[in-house]
Amino acid sequence: MTSAPEDDSDLRRLLNDAVSEVHPEGGTEQIRARARRSSAGRWMPLTVAAAVATVAVIGGAAWLAQRQPLGRSAAGSGSVSDANAPTGVRDSPTPTHLIDAQVYVLGSTAVGPRLFVEQKQIRTAADSSDLQTVVDETLTAKPADPDYENPFRDLGLTARATLEGGVVTIDLSSAPARPPGMNGGAARMAVQSLVWSADTAGSVTGPVRFTVAGAAADNVLGVSTSAPVERAGSDSVMSTVSITSPLEGSNVSNQFEVTGQAATFEANVVWELKQGEKVVRNGYTTATECCTLSPYRFMVTAAPGEYTLVVHDTDESDGEGVGTSEDTKRITVE
């Protein structure tokens, strides 16, 4: 129950005003006689009671209002402070996660187009599989390294990638024809880029099925895909020299490690650190094995600045002009 206000002088004054004109007359018998008169005479006490009740309500409301906490509106007023005002319904952000991916792309070498691998972190929807994410990236993404190209990027393809029983299926939105200017070797490498990307993401090494609307695709870029496409051996599709780290556009310390893979004569690997056309550092190392794709590593020390790191094989063509294959990365030494 609400307690009475401590200062009730206003309430007392209102009550006095309401009953000041009421003057009982006569003794007990006269009062009883008046009470037995018609109902019209009974309104006076009722009026007084109503006045008293009204005054009490008004006084109580005024007392409550005086004690209302600052910064809050009176109950039932319908107003809300700015701090608590609704700001509208906001859509919850779609849950995402990062995946570490290997995406295979094309690059030029002394023996024609070959595959290079880009190490990427890709943000994807939480309910998207790594396989689907990597296949989407292989079909649509622009390579981070400007020396590479994605032959599918301008074809407007989409695909649904699934893995069942150790077999990857890539269901394409359409079977793309070979674009003008693309030769058969580049087309085969392009199809292998999808096969290698999908197999690596799915942690399998088997053939990849290509379909359109669930039915086997006769060909992709003019390459027969009516039967599942086997993953070609690394020595036949990968570049003979590639840099794994540092990545394109990396910031590195003044002493940094270079890693990669090479399949070269006598395992020879040659490198230069350049600013423009000027070679500021150079050296050589060897891969762990000769003539088959195997890892290499070496250390470089350089002053702060922007550089191009070049790693290449040696020309063993005996003057036939085959040339060398190389990989390059633009880096900043801090």
Side-chain angles (χ1 to χ4, degrees), residues 237-284:
V237 296
M238 299 299 296
S239 172
T240 53
V241 177
S242 63
I243 299 170
T244 304
S245 68
L247 302 178
E248 177 74 15
S250 293
N251 293 341
V252 299
S253 64
N254 68 330
Q255 216 174 25
F256 61 95
E257 184 178 53
V258 179
T259 63
Q261 289 188 312
T264 60
F265 179 74
E266 296 184 346
N268 291 329
V269 177
V270 182
W271 63 269
E272 291 104 24
L273 192 64
K274 303 173 73 173
Q275 287 185 313
E277 295 300 317
K278 180 183 178 182
V279 177
V280 296
R281 293 282 189 279
N282 63 69
Y284 66 91

Side-chain angles (χ1 to χ4, degrees), residues 29 179 287 295:
E29 290 302 323

Side-chain angles (χ1 to χ4, degrees), residues 128-141:
S128 179
S129 68
D130 290 5
L131 172 61
Q132 182 67 57
T133 300
V134 169
V135 168
D136 289 343
E137 191 81 2
T138 307
L139 287 174
T140 63

Side-chain angles (χ1 to χ4, degrees):
M1 177 179 289
T2 304
S3 60
E6 297 174 1
D7 183 5
D8 59 355
S9 59
D10 290 342
L11 182 58
R12 289 178 179 275
R13 187 176 65 255
L14 288 170
L15 288 173
N16 288 335
D17 291 344
V19 300
S20 60
E21 299 300 321
V22 179
H23 303 289
E25 297 178 357
T28 302
E29 290 302 323
Q30 289 179 332
I31 293 173
R32 288 176 178 172
R34 286 197 298 272
R36 289 193 294 268
R37 292 177 185 171
S38 63
S39 59
R42 299 175 188 171
W43 287 108
M44 179 58 72
L46 292 176
T47 300
V48 172
V52 171
T54 301
V55 169
V57 170
I58 292 172
W63 175 73
L64 284 174
Q66 290 171 357
R67 283 156 177 77
Q68 187 70 28
L70 292 176
R72 296 182 58 187
S73 59
S77 68
S79 65
V80 182
S81 70
D82 290 343
N84 296 317
T87 56
V89 177
R90 297 176 181 175
D91 293 333
S92 298
T94 302
T96 62
H97 70 291
L98 283 172
I99 68 167
D100 293 316
Q102 293 182 329
V103 178
Y104 290 81
V105 292
L106 268 63
S108 298
T109 73
V111 293
R114 287 294 185 100
L115 299 186
F116 291 79
V117 61
E118 287 202 316
Q119 310 284 343
K120 293 187 174 185
Q121 277 199 325
I122 305 172
R123 183 167 296 281
T124 185
D127 59 354
S128 179
S129 68
D130 290 5
L131 172 61
Q132 182 67 57
T133 300
V134 169
V135 168
D136 289 343
E137 191 81 2
T138 307
L139 287 174
T140 63
K142 181 180 180 180
D145 191 323
D147 294 331
Y148 304 154
E149 64 174 315
N150 180 351
F152 294 103
R153 185 166 178 259
D154 297 327
L155 301 182
L157 288 175
T158 59
R160 181 173 180 267
T162 56
L163 175 63
E164 187 173 351
V167 177
V168 172
T169 298
I170 299 177
D171 191 50
L172 296 166
S173 55
S174 64
R178 186 180 301 170
M182 177 183 287
N183 61 31
R188 286 189 292 274
M189 290 298 164
V191 172
Q192 283 295 318
S193 74
L194 267 174
V195 173
W196 272 77
S197 292
D199 270 2
T200 303
S203 299
V204 295
T205 58
V208 172
R209 295 177 64 242
F210 287 91
T211 61
V212 176
D218 289 337
N219 65 79
V220 174
L221 301 178
V223 177
S224 177
T225 54
S226 55
V229 178
E230 296 284 348
R231 178 165 128 173
S234 59
D235 285 339
S236 64
V237 296
M238 299 299 296
S239 172
T240 53
V241 177
S242 63
I243 299 170
T244 304
S245 68
L247 302 178
E248 177 74 15
S250 293
N251 293 341
V252 299
S253 64
N254 68 330
Q255 216 174 25
F256 61 95
E257 184 178 53
V258 179
T259 63
Q261 289 188 312
T264 60
F265 179 74
E266 296 184 346
N268 291 329
V269 177
V270 182
W271 63 269
E272 291 104 24
L273 192 64
K274 303 173 73 173
Q275 287 185 313
E277 295 300 317
K278 180 183 178 182
V279 177
V280 296
R281 293 282 189 279
N282 63 69
Y284 66 91
T285 189
T286 55
T288 57
E289 292 185 55
C290 165
C291 312
T292 187
L293 207 62
S294 56
Y296 68 81
R297 66 181 61 244
F298 58 89
M299 297 296 297
V300 178
T301 301
E306 295 183 352
Y307 298 92
T308 299
L309 173 67
V310 183
V311 178
H312 60 85
D313 57 10
T314 55
D315 186 359
E316 305 297 335
S317 64
D318 292 328
E320 294 181 4
V322 173
T324 60
S325 297
E326 67 178 31
D327 196 9
T328 67
K329 301 297 177 190
R330 293 174 299 182
I331 60 172
T332 299
V333 175
E334 296 181 329

